[in-house]
């Protein structure tokens, strides 16, 4: 049975002090939650990763990085490698977020390399993709999503999919307050499972967790998460507040 996941992407928010206090509050509020089939992940900025990852040790909360470089090491000023993440206890990484694609020119080809590097280092990947508003308006959204998945992930062997979590994030819904309707999310998630099943097999498609991302908050999470093919959320804004974030975890 695939896992339900709530992952908080803190983006470029929270310094070291606020990161530590936010994760502490989250841990405390989740204390009495058995989290049987639910994983809770937080993704602070690089500077807070080590301390936050220490804080979550022996708790059910996990830590992810928001990005990493595809090379092993070398002259890449300002970048962070998979091994560096590993050295501070981080083995989950978000790749392909639309903000990375848009503002930092991360192409499908670069992302495919990052995916390979992460997997080589036994990391788990939260792979993000999703269409922009024009694609949705021109009804090209299925094609866009299919090509992002094909170019970023379909070179992998079926066995590698055990380390992949998908996050469908329509760009028009990120940070805009506008969410895809639960029906739109379900429709796309079912489509994603279908193309994975066609490329690989039913098992791979059924076992991969597919998160929805884009203005998820406590007020709309229950309905979205209740959809058959939606296995949780990648959360931006609402993940910055412990009460909201924990309310999302409790929305299944
Ligand atoms: P949002 O961000 O929840 O603030 O829309 C989601 C994301 O970017 O992952």
């Amino acid at each position: 049975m695939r896992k339900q996941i709530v992952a908080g992407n803190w983006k470029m928010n929270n310094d070291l002090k606020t990161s530590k206090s936010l994760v502490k509050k989250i841990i405390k509020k989740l204390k009495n939650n058995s989290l049987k089939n639910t994983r809770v992940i937080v993704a602070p900025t690089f500077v807070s990763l080590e301390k936050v990852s220490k804080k979550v040790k022996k708790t059910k909360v996990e830590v992810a990085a928001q990005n990493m470089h595809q090379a092993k090491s070398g002259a890449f000023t300002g970048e962070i490698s998979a091994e560096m993440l590993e050295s501070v206890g981080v083995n989950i990484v978000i790749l392909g977020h639309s903000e990375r694609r848009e503002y930092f020119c991360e192409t499908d080809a670069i992302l495919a390399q990052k995916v390979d590097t992460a997997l080589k280092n036994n990391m788990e990947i939260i792979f993000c993709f999703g269409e922009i508003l024009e694609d949705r308006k021109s009804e090209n959204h299925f094609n866009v999503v299919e090509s992002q998945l094909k170019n970023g992930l379909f070179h992998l062997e079926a066995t590698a999919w055990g380390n992949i979590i998908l996050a469908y994030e329509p760009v028009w819904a990120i940070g805009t307050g506008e969410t895809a309707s639960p029906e739109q999310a379900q429709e796309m998630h079912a489509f994603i499972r279908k193309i994975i099943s066609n490329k690989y097999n039913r098992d791979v498609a059924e076992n991969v967790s597919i998160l929805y991302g884009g203005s998820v908050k406590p007020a709309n999470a229950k309905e979205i998460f209740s959809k058959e093919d939606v296995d949780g959320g990648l959360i931006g804004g609402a993940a910055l507040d412990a009460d909201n974030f924990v309310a999302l975890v409790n929305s299944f």
Side-chain angles (χ1 to χ4, degrees):
M1 188 175 159
R2 55 182 186 259
K3 286 271 187 188
Q4 296 167 325
I5 301 169
V6 174
N9 174 11
W10 295 358
K11 308 191 180 183
M12 199 173 72
N13 295 295
N14 294 326
D15 61 13
L16 181 57
K17 195 166 159 215
T18 44
S19 294
K20 287 198 306 193
S21 88
L22 177 54
V23 78
K24 202 169 143 195
K25 280 187 211 155
I26 292 170
I27 292 166
K28 195 164 163 214
K29 286 176 194 293
L30 285 173
K31 219 169 177 179
N32 297 322
N33 188 325
S34 71
L35 296 178
K36 256 202 179 133
N37 191 42
T38 308
R39 292 177 66 185
V40 178
I41 302 172
V42 294
T45 62
F46 288 131
V47 291
S48 302
L49 276 179
E50 182 180 4
K51 289 284 193 293
V52 170
S53 117
K54 275 199 181 124
K55 281 232 178 283
V56 302
K57 257 198 188 131
K58 296 191 191 130
T59 77
K60 289 174 189 140
V61 178
E62 300 170 82
V63 176
Q66 296 175 17
N67 179 34
M68 53 155 248
H69 195 268
Q70 62 271 30
K72 190 174 156 62
S73 63
F76 300 102
T77 302
E79 292 293 326
I80 304 279
S81 73
E83 281 170 27
M84 290 168 193
L85 295 177
E86 220 176 348
S87 74
V88 293
V90 175
N91 44 35
I92 309 172
V93 63
I94 298 173
L95 294 177
H97 192 280
S98 66
E99 287 147 21
R100 299 290 322 168
R101 291 176 189 260
E102 184 180 353
Y103 307 135
F104 303 97
C105 308
E106 293 196 3
T107 60
D108 285 345
I110 292 173
L111 289 169
Q113 289 175 24
K114 290 192 177 203
V115 164
D116 289 344
T117 303
L119 291 175
K120 213 189 253 168
N121 286 275
N122 290 320
M123 296 183 78
E124 210 175 352
I125 297 163
I126 301 177
F127 187 84
C128 308
F129 53 94
E131 82 282 359
I132 58 173
L133 189 57
E134 290 78 70
D135 296 326
R136 170 73 53 176
K137 280 187 175 156
S138 58
E139 295 186 5
N140 200 30
H141 46 297
F142 292 114
N143 289 336
V144 169
V145 161
E146 184 165 5
S147 99
Q148 286 173 327
L149 283 174
K150 272 190 178 156
N151 295 336
L153 296 174
F154 278 12
H155 62 287
L156 299 176
E157 299 288 330
T159 48
W161 278 76
N163 274 13
I164 305 287
I165 297 163
L166 298 178
Y168 167 59
E169 299 202 302
V171 180
W172 48 272
I174 296 177
T176 58
E178 196 176 329
T179 343
S181 68
E183 290 70 30
Q184 285 172 322
Q186 169 57 29
E187 184 186 35
M188 184 58 87
H189 285 218
F191 170 76
I192 293 163
R193 252 186 249 289
K194 193 181 88 197
I195 56 176
I196 295 173
S197 180
N198 291 345
K199 162 76 186 168
Y200 296 93
N201 55 55
R202 231 183 102 84
D203 267 8
V204 174
E206 286 300 318
N207 288 331
V208 65
S209 294
I210 310 178
L211 315 185
Y212 167 79
S215 299
V216 179
K217 43 186 181 285
N220 58 26
K222 247 197 170 75
E223 225 193 320
I224 298 174
F225 293 174
S226 71
K227 292 294 176 191
E228 195 184 335
D229 288 297
V230 178
D231 304 308
L234 180 57
I235 320 293
L240 298 174
D241 174 89
D243 284 322
N244 282 336
F245 187 64
V246 171
L248 293 173
V249 176
N250 291 329
S251 295
F252 291 109

